Amino acid sequence: MPPKRKSGPKFHRDFEKPTTQERKDALGSFPCQHKATLTTRKDMLKQSMECQPSILEARKESESIAESCAISDLDERKLYIPTPRSETSMALPNPSDELDWLAQVPEEGQTYDDYLISMTSRTSGRFKPLMNAKGVDILLLPIVDQKDEDSWPNYGPSLKHLAHYTRIYFDRPVHILPSATLEVTPCSAAQQSSKKRKTNSNPGQFAMASKRNFNLVFPKENGFDSYSVKITGRADSTSERYQLKVDSMLDELAAYRYARQNSKGENETKEFCIMGITMIDLYDGPSDLFCAGMAFGGDKVAVFSFARYHPLIKMHPGKWFHYGYSDKSDGYSYYEDDDQNPKGLAQTTPTITSSQSQIEIEFLKRSSKLITHELGHLYGIGHCIHNRCLMMGTGHLVEDFNAPAHLCGVCLRKLQWRTGFDVRIRYKLLTDSFQRMGMTKEQKWTQKQIDHLTMHDIHG
């Protein structure tokens, strides 16, 4: 008898993969009869139409059509059915690695109807406070290191491109705030002694964090003074590298957002969220290699680090401070199994020059997917288990980089319900944005959706 083939990684034992019919049903009914959809949603969308990119573009053709699209597009089924063989029409693949997200996490998934239930009151149809229905603007807060002279570093992805892409993706105004600055100073002898005692009582929690103070200085704006707060972090004394604790950052971002609102008054603020973006490395728990980012949905704040998304980075799989930069990208960010201490890696983050256009494009692709995925969570969209989708959960960088940049039909309809964009024009604007960023594959995908819908409109 031939030997039995070893089975590969499997889904988590408590995860139930949706059937074909369940994947179809996840899109919801047409037309949508949800109470909030028929009443308060219209009022919410009228507040945002004056500043939505897709609606402003549609108004160039017809004022009446533009205003109706935010309402009517929700119930046009064909807008949420991607082209045949599109990656967003495909079921989630089986895990290929034991560290894949669905091999580790028993996701329950979120249908379109689940989304509406989470956003509104079941009886009255009113919006839950969590939704922040009056919020419109997306604010990006660059968090920079003092050593970079208080400006966004030239080894990071383009803030201009990221802001423009986010604006088109969510059909909302995006503003880049003045930068917050990280100041890192040595601890005093008394502080080091105190932290050593804590290290002995709780091994690991304060390991390699005893010789640095981390202070975050929030920016001064009109009517709002600058101020400084302490942030939890850890440092490696040999490499002089450090990381900031993500929940400490989120706590202070939430406090900053509320303080900023109070100083300006309710009538002057219409922001939906504040998102901290940085090239400073983050972590969550003591055993973490790194943390790409996290969001506090109720407080409408998030923070992301693009540090580990650099296309040239190579890192040790177990030591957070052990990494360097290659002179070329092979798409794999970790050291090879047979060489855990490679020679010849640069120890400082390389500047991305115009001669490295493919490196710049890959960096934009990775970082734009991170920022839109996490912002999707702030809009209440959960991890997707129905199709390959931007909102899929990912367990490691390889899985993350392979995820699509696009929303599947189920998640696209959730976002359309929330923000009321013109689906066709959004695809057109995304096509232009992908071309601007050099993302050819993604540009072809959105253009294919435009052509597909145009054929439907012509032939019915």
Side-chain angles (χ1 to χ4, degrees), residues 206-453:
F206 293 88
M208 295 175 291
S210 61
K211 296 185 178 180
R212 296 288 185 276
N213 282 319
F214 302 100
N215 293 298
L216 188 62
V217 182
F218 284 102
K220 182 178 181 179
E221 299 179 69
N222 292 334
F224 186 75
D225 289 332
S226 174
Y227 69 95
S228 174
V229 293
K230 290 185 177 180
I231 297 293
T232 303
R234 63 183 180 185
D236 172 56
S237 58
T238 303
S239 64
E240 295 295 318
R241 287 172 168 163
Y242 43 81
Q243 293 180 316
L244 303 180
K245 202 166 189 306
V246 67
D247 57 355
S248 178
M249 295 284 286
L250 287 170
D251 285 338
E252 297 304 337
L253 278 173
Y256 167 68
R257 178 172 178 255
Y258 294 129
R260 191 174 177 275
Q261 282 183 327
N262 291 336
S263 71
K264 293 179 177 294
E266 186 176 346
N267 294 330
E268 293 184 37
T269 58
K270 57 176 182 176
E271 85 266 6
F272 172 70
C273 67
I274 293 181
M275 306 171 69
I277 51 177
T278 186
M279 284 297 293
I280 302 167
D281 213 9
L282 303 176
Y283 75 105
D284 186 18
S287 61
D288 271 0
L289 186 64
F290 69 94
C291 177
M294 194 178 292
F296 279 178
D299 293 313
K300 291 294 181 283
V301 294
V303 63
F304 323 110
S305 170
F306 305 127
R308 303 289 176 136
Y309 281 56
H310 197 293
L312 299 179
I313 198 169
K314 289 288 185 180
M315 67 186 87
H316 192 284
K319 299 177 181 178
W320 67 265
F321 49 85
H322 202 315
Y323 58 87
Y325 299 88
S326 177
D327 57 359
K328 60 182 179 180
S329 174
D330 60 7
Y332 188 68
S333 300
Y334 300 96
Y335 296 160
E336 299 298 334
D337 291 342
D338 58 354
D339 187 4
Q340 294 293 293
N341 191 26
K343 306 299 182 185
L345 295 180
Q347 294 303 299
T348 56
T349 313
T351 299
I352 297 177
T353 64
S354 57
S355 62
Q356 296 174 302
S357 58
Q358 289 304 312
I359 301 298
E360 181 182 18
I361 291 169
E362 181 62 26
F363 205 175
L364 277 173
K365 182 183 297 186
R366 295 177 179 186
S367 52
S368 63
K369 286 196 297 184
L370 173 63
I371 200 171
T372 47
H373 176 99
E374 296 298 335
L375 186 49
H377 286 323
L378 287 183
Y379 277 104
I381 302 176
H383 281 144
C384 185
I385 65 170
H386 300 101
N387 306 285
R388 284 186 53 78
C389 175
L390 172 79
M391 297 308 298
M392 293 163 47
T394 58
H396 49 83
L397 289 180
V398 174
E399 194 177 21
D400 192 274
F401 298 159
N402 287 331
H406 316 289
L407 295 171
C408 72
V410 178
C411 295
L412 182 65
R413 196 177 187 212
K414 296 173 191 175
L415 189 60
Q416 203 286 334
W417 181 90
R418 177 61 182 83
T419 64
F421 46 74
D422 181 309
V423 176
R424 293 172 178 82
I425 291 182
R426 177 179 179 273
Y427 277 141
K428 175 181 178 294
L429 296 175
L430 277 176
T431 301
D432 295 340
S433 186
F434 285 134
Q435 183 180 27
R436 180 182 301 193
M437 295 191 294
M439 295 168 61
T440 305
K441 177 185 174 184
E442 289 73 16
Q443 177 191 350
K444 289 180 178 178
W445 188 92
T446 48
Q447 184 60 54
K448 188 176 288 186
Q449 307 315 306
I450 294 170
D451 296 342
H452 180 65
L453 290 172

Side-chain angles (χ1 to χ4, degrees), residues 22-33:
E22 286 172 336
R23 292 174 57 224
K24 291 180 179 179
D25 293 343
L27 194 53
S29 60
F30 292 84
C32 180
Q33 295 298 320

Side-chain angles (χ1 to χ4, degrees), residues 41 45 48-49 52-56 58 65-74 79-80 167-172 381 407-409 411-427 429-430:
R41 176 177 179 263
L45 295 182
S48 61
M49 284 181 183
Q52 290 182 240
S54 72
I55 302 302
L56 295 176
I65 291 177
E67 296 195 1
S68 67
C69 282
I71 309 299
S72 62
D73 272 15
L74 183 70
L79 297 177
Y80 307 100
R167 172 177 176 268
I168 300 305
Y169 207 96
F170 292 92
D171 210 39
R172 287 290 184 265
I381 302 176
L407 295 171
C408 72
C411 295
L412 182 65
R413 196 177 187 212
K414 296 173 191 175
L415 189 60
Q416 203 286 334
W417 181 90
R418 177 61 182 83
T419 64
F421 46 74
D422 181 309
V423 176
R424 293 172 178 82
I425 291 182
R426 177 179 179 273
Y427 277 141
L429 296 175
L430 277 176

